[in-house]
Amino acid sequence: MEFISPTDGSMHLEQVYQTIVKFIKEESENQYRLIVGTDSQAGIEDIMFVTAIVIYRVGRGGRFFYHKKAEKIHTSMKQRIFYEVSKSLEVASKLTGFLADEKEFSENLKVEIHVDVGEKGPTNAIIKEVVGMVVGSGYEAMIKPDSYAASTVADKYTK
């Protein structure tokens, strides 16, 4: 799976992970959050899905990476949101698998899944379901307005 870094260009997920580790080790005394979120935009013939990975140095900025892929599927809005969440969970699972080897900070690194749903609008009916999906997978779930990895970072690249 290829990701784009605005700083480093195209990179495989393993390279993204190594960049994240380096970023954390540069200032290991800080707190960090590893965040994954996916957004989508329906087009005429396909849907553009963008998954963003954000490593946030709490209070001090961060870096992000994104994967962009158009898929020729036609689903309801509800099904599309579930598909977005499954894409985020897949990436988070791979990253936490890599993290298992990093004993010095893996236990203190909070992993969040940002879901593009909120209490206002048509997605409010599925909040409990998608949050349950994320929490049941062992991650913290964030919804709008706090789900910036999905609703801001990934959204920027769906067009």
Side-chain angles (χ1 to χ4, degrees), residues 39-88:
D39 192 23
S40 62
Q41 181 71 43
I44 295 170
E45 295 186 20
D46 54 21
I47 300 174
M48 181 62 68
F49 289 93
V50 177
T51 299
I53 300 170
V54 177
I55 183 65
Y56 174 49
R57 187 178 284 152
V58 177
R60 310 234 12 245
R63 296 198 54 193
F64 73 92
F65 313 84
Y66 67 93
H67 171 76
K68 184 173 185 172
K69 184 177 180 188
E71 297 190 28
K72 291 192 179 300
I73 60 172
H74 298 284
T75 64
S76 68
M77 187 240 351
K78 180 179 177 179
Q79 291 171 319
R80 197 168 88 207
I81 297 292
F82 278 101
Y83 193 55
E84 289 175 7
V85 174
S86 71
K87 286 181 162 297
S88 294

Side-chain angles (χ1 to χ4, degrees), residues 17-32:
Y17 169 72
Q18 291 301 325
T19 302
I20 289 169
V21 168
K22 182 180 175 192
F23 183 75
I24 292 171
K25 288 183 177 181
E26 286 172 356
E27 296 185 28
S28 60
E29 68 281 357
N30 288 295
Q31 290 186 313
Y32 292 86

Side-chain angles (χ1 to χ4, degrees), residues 4 14-15 17 19-20 35 42 48 53 90 105 118 146:
I4 303 295
E14 295 85 0
Q15 293 170 301
Y17 169 72
T19 302
I20 289 169
I35 305 160
M48 181 62 68
I53 300 170
E90 177 186 357
F105 60 79
D146 300 317

